[in-house]
Amino acid sequence: MKGAKYDKNILVEFKGRIAQKKRIEQYIKDTLRHFIPRLRRVVTVNIIVSSTLEDNCYGWCLGNRNEIDIELARSSGKDSFDLDYMMLNLAHELVHAKQFLTGQLSPCHFRWKTKDYKNTAYSRTPWEREAYKKEEWIYETFWLEKTLQKA
């Protein structure tokens, strides 16, 4: 597998219960390697799985150039999420992880590259627009296609 020798550079740690941790770990590594193929430093991705998140969020991501924290919800309001839907949510958060790791998005938020977005609706910020644009492709390419290959 292309880039497999750099798997050791991306450390994935889990907190909370979730099925198929090894498969999810590979999904994270494949996605990040796609977006940052020349990543040579060690980065840590912490995945926290919670029953629900504040404001009924599906997930969130914070980080810097070396460490990423992603929290995923099992449910929001009355809706419970199956593993596939959680992986679609994770795809969205992995775009943000890429943005933090490459320095595009600042950890203090509302800074994208060199521009300030404090007066922009969150859904219209460039980092959210990119995440929504790429989440389905990531999910289909690195999660679903792997499922179909094994079937």
Side-chain angles (χ1 to χ4, degrees), residues 135-148:
E135 67 184 21
E136 194 168 323
W137 179 84
I138 291 167
Y139 170 75
E140 289 174 358
T141 303
F142 298 112
W143 185 258
L144 280 186
E145 283 189 18
K146 300 282 182 172
T147 302
L148 295 174

Side-chain angles (χ1 to χ4, degrees), residues 18-81:
I18 191 163
Q20 301 185 35
K21 286 181 182 176
K22 286 190 184 287
R23 182 174 174 212
I24 295 167
E25 179 179 354
Q26 195 60 53
Y27 176 50
I28 293 165
K29 290 178 178 185
D30 290 345
T31 301
L32 292 178
R33 262 201 323 271
H34 171 78
F35 287 112
I36 317 170
R38 291 183 175 87
L39 180 67
R40 300 296 185 257
R41 68 184 181 280
V42 174
V43 299
T44 302
V45 180
N46 300 302
I47 303 294
I48 303 117
V49 181
S50 300
S51 297
T52 59
L53 299 180
E54 194 173 311
D55 297 326
N56 288 322
C57 290
Y58 293 8
W60 59 258
C61 177
L62 290 174
N64 56 45
R65 294 177 73 83
N66 299 307
E67 187 166 6
I68 301 296
D69 292 326
I70 295 174
E71 189 165 5
L72 296 173
R74 292 180 177 281
S75 64
S76 177
K78 299 175 198 167
D79 300 322
S80 289
F81 305 143

Side-chain angles (χ1 to χ4, degrees), residues 96 99 105 110-112 117 122 125-131:
H96 295 314
Q99 294 164 346
L105 183 58
F110 301 108
R111 298 249 349 130
W112 174 259
Y117 285 87
Y122 190 75
T125 59
W127 57 88
E128 272 304 295
R129 292 172 72 119
E130 180 185 21

